[in-house]
Every structure is written in structure tokens, then in C-alpha cells.
Amino acid sequence: MSTLNTMDEASKLELLQGQAEIWKQTFSFANSMALKCAVELRIPDILHSQNRPLSLDEIASKINKSSSPNTSYLHRIMRLLVHNKIFTSTTTTSPDSGAGDGASITLYGPTAASRWLVRDSNELSLAPFLLMENHPLLLSPWHQFSACVRDGGNAFEMANGAEIWDLAAQNPKFNQLFNDGMACTAKITMHAILSEFGSKNNGFEGLESLVDVGGGIGQTIADFVKKYPQIKGINFDLPHVIATAPEHPGVSHVGGDMFKEIPSAQAVFMKWILHDWSDEECVKILKNCRNAIPEKNGKIFIVDVVLKPDDELFGTSRLAFDLVMIAHTRGMERTESEWKKLLEKGGFPRYKITDIPTFCSIIEAYPN
């Protein structure tokens, strides 16, 4: 920095831009915290339920009718969310505002982004996933990254004293938070699969049975059975997860361990399962999948991220999600070449990848 006075203007500008980038990255956590605040206060629900933009006072009155929310704090949080294009803002005049003729007032409205944060409807929503990922138990492992790089180990276990699956088994509230977060992403993914992949690729036509490995409370397989009534659905997960699963028509719940055995079916479906585990563990799971399906017409569907160069739409988020795997599991997101090697070792020499309009892709793999 002592040479700053000797730099030309272009070098000074480049250095200043570098400084600005570090400031931006340092406070990037504020974006997710502001989003969490908005979701907890149900601000997206408030704005999407109206047919017009609302003032700050109107939003505040709908947040809590029994108290007086701090509108100064709310204004500052909304200002960042507007800057990040989560909400819109317009300035107009309000002759009856009590501040004199021509007094300005800011009105806030929804966007396509805030639609994904609505909670009080049956629409697709990422709100439960946002709340899950920003829970203190899931944030604390991020502080263990340097220790993981230095010494190895499991970041989540370092921070919380147990692996994520064991903590969910021990803590009903955390288990519910986790299940809700997974269920909302499953709903979004299934909408893309059934409306795009299922309708255009006919990948599920003719299937007689399908087992959803790590299927949670069974909503995903229930959606399959509803769309394809000929399918016998099997929801397979750990016993403590199955214990909370409701009944679904045409679906049977099976508790067990995918590292030991997977229920037999014509096809296996896995959404966001293999990315949670190391290559060695994935090979074990894939071999169990191979044993669970028939030789001739069996196949597996893997719904996971496929990392790609020059991915403008989800690229940054997918790379960040790879770090989520360090924070929460022993897994990783993978490139196509990494998936190919994994599948071959697991007994699936043939595969094809289909992109769908969501965060993940579909990998169909065959035993011959």
C-alpha cells in the first residue's frame, strides 16, 4: 500500500475495485439474514396478498396488529432487499399524509423473486429451505471450515457434537425443520420433473414400481403415484423419519439403512442423496441400488446438481451449495466426469443427463 501514490490511475481504480469486492463479500451474509427476517415477518405474504404496493406503515400494521413494530429497522431492511431486487419500491406523493402538500412516500411491491418466499399458500416456496439453511445449528459449522482444511473432519459434528442425521434423530424440532426444508425443495423439483421431464421424456411411463431412497415423509413418491397410478410407490428412509410420515394412497413406508439394503423395485429414485456422501459411500449406495433393480429393465434416477462451466443462471449458487456439503455432510457436488466415474464404479456403465428448469438435473443410469 505504500506504493499507492506511485500508481497510475488505472492501477488505483483496479485496487479500489478489489477493496470494494472484499467489503461486498465480507457483508454478503447480511443478504440472507435480511431475507430470513422478511420471511419470519411474512412480508412476502403481505405484499403478494395485496393488489397494490404498500407503504412502510401499512406493512408494519400487518406484521403485528397487537404491537408497534420498529419502522426504522424495517425501512433499513427493506432498503437492502429492494437493492437486491427481492422487492420493488416507488416514490410517490401523499397529499393526506399530514406532512404537507407534495410529501413523498415510498411504496413497496412484490417481485418474481419474492414469490418464492410466500408461505401462506399452496404455491411453490423456498421459504422453509431458507429458514432451515439459516438456522443457528446449520450456520455454526461454517465457522469450522479452516479447521476442516487443516485437520479434516466433519464440520457439522465439530460445531454441534453430532452428525446432522444423528442430531435430527435426537431433536424432534430440528427434525421437523429439516423435513420441512427438504419437503419444499422436493415439491419444487417434482413440479419441474413431472411437468417437464415426465411429460416430454416419458421416463416414468411403464414403471411398475419405484422406490424413493431418502424419501423423507413421502411427498415425492406420493406425487409420482398420483401422476402415474400404475406405479407401486415405496418411500424408504431412516426409521425416525418414517415414524413421522403420513399415509399416502398407493405408497408404503419402509424404514431402513441404504448402506445395508434398498427395497426391491423396478427403478430407484434419489433426490439430493448422493451429494451428501463421499465417493466411497456413494459407490456402496449405488451397488445396493444395482442389487435392488432387475437386470433387464431396471434403472435409477438421480436428481442432483451437475456442476458446469459457464453456468450463468445457477452457477454461483451451485458452487456455494458445494460448500454447504462441507458444512453439513461429508459429500460434494460433482461435474459430469465425476458422476461418470462414480456410476461406473457403482455398476451403471450407461447414463444420460437431462436439464430441468430448477436447481438440479436428472441423471438416468442403467445397469447395462
Side-chain angles (χ1 to χ4, degrees):
M1 293 299 181
S2 59
T3 61
L4 185 61
N5 291 334
T6 64
M7 289 182 177
D8 58 33
E9 290 304 314
S11 297
K12 288 181 180 179
L13 177 60
E14 183 180 10
L15 194 61
L16 181 61
Q17 290 170 336
Q19 180 191 158
E21 184 61 29
I22 297 303
W23 279 100
K24 177 182 176 182
Q25 297 291 341
T26 298
F27 292 110
S28 60
F29 71 92
N31 295 327
S32 58
M33 290 298 102
L35 275 178
K36 180 186 178 185
C37 172
V39 169
E40 289 176 332
L41 297 176
R42 297 184 181 270
I43 294 174
D45 295 89
I46 292 170
L47 293 179
H48 280 270
S49 67
Q50 304 299 307
N51 294 321
R52 61 179 179 83
L54 299 180
S55 69
L56 206 63
D57 287 338
E58 288 176 313
I59 296 172
S61 70
K62 295 177 183 299
I63 288 174
N64 193 339
K65 297 181 180 179
S66 62
S67 64
S68 300
N70 189 310
T71 54
S72 174
Y73 289 165
L74 180 59
H75 160 69
R76 290 151 66 182
I77 291 168
M78 291 296 287
R79 180 169 56 189
L80 176 62
L81 293 173
V82 167
H83 176 78
N84 289 341
K85 297 180 173 57
I86 304 301
F87 302 119
T88 63
S89 70
T90 55
T91 301
T92 185
T93 57
S94 178
D96 57 349
S97 65
D101 292 340
S104 65
I105 183 171
T106 300
L107 300 177
Y108 299 92
T111 65
S114 63
R115 178 180 177 183
W116 291 95
L117 299 177
V118 172
R119 299 170 68 184
D120 293 333
S121 74
N122 291 322
E123 291 189 24
L124 302 177
S125 174
L126 280 167
F129 186 72
L130 172 73
L131 294 176
M132 181 193 79
E133 288 294 343
N134 287 282
H135 188 278
L137 287 173
L138 290 174
L139 288 175
S140 56
W142 290 85
H143 296 282
Q144 303 298 327
F145 271 28
S146 56
C148 288
V149 171
R150 270 196 314 267
D151 309 314
N154 184 294
F156 193 92
E157 188 173 13
M158 289 179 186
N160 297 306
E163 291 196 22
I164 190 169
W165 322 114
D166 296 330
L167 186 63
Q170 300 162 10
N171 186 326
K173 287 187 177 179
F174 178 71
N175 186 48
Q176 186 64 53
L177 177 79
F178 186 83
N179 286 342
D180 289 345
M182 292 296 97
C184 83
T185 61
K187 188 176 181 180
I188 292 169
T189 304
M190 283 304 297
H191 181 268
I193 290 173
L194 294 177
S195 63
E196 297 292 329
F197 178 82
S199 299
K200 297 177 181 178
N201 293 62
N202 297 321
F204 307 109
E205 293 290 348
L207 287 183
E208 297 178 359
S209 59
L210 179 68
V211 55
D212 185 4
V213 175
I217 59 175
Q219 187 58 56
T220 294
I221 192 66
D223 289 342
F224 271 119
V225 173
K226 184 177 180 180
K227 175 81 171 182
Y228 303 98
Q230 84 281 359
I231 292 179
K232 175 187 175 184
I234 304 169
N235 182 50
F236 180 67
D237 213 313
L238 294 168
H240 77 270
V241 178
I242 294 300
T244 66
E247 293 296 321
H248 298 288
V251 174
S252 59
H253 296 295
V254 178
D257 185 344
M258 63 185 175
F259 289 103
K260 295 179 180 178
E261 187 178 23
I262 290 172
S264 296
Q266 185 182 350
V268 172
F269 181 86
M270 292 182 287
K271 183 190 80 70
W272 279 9
I273 300 299
L274 296 184
H275 75 162
D276 287 331
W277 305 98
S278 68
D279 286 353
E280 294 76 15
E281 290 164 319
C282 285
V283 170
K284 290 180 181 179
I285 297 170
L286 287 169
K287 287 182 177 179
N288 286 339
C289 290
R290 178 68 182 81
N291 293 332
I293 62 174
E295 177 74 26
K296 288 187 177 180
N297 60 351
K299 60 181 173 178
I300 63 173
F301 300 93
I302 299 169
V303 181
D304 251 317
V305 165
V306 178
L307 295 176
K308 305 173 184 178
D310 304 321
D311 181 355
E312 295 184 1
L313 185 59
F314 288 114
T316 301
S317 298
R318 285 169 173 160
L319 290 173
F321 205 55
D322 183 41
L323 300 191
V324 172
M325 298 302 102
I326 299 177
H328 300 161
T329 71
R330 294 193 294 269
M332 60 187 290
E333 304 302 342
R334 295 174 170 90
T335 63
E336 180 176 351
S337 63
E338 290 169 331
W339 278 115
K340 183 177 185 292
K341 292 177 183 177
L342 207 61
L343 290 167
E344 288 175 346
K345 290 181 180 179
F348 295 90
R350 192 163 58 91
Y351 74 92
K352 68 177 180 179
I353 296 175
T354 304
D355 291 330
I356 54 176
T358 188
F359 197 69
C360 302
S361 299
I362 297 180
I363 306 170
E364 286 181 80
Y366 314 91
N368 48 49

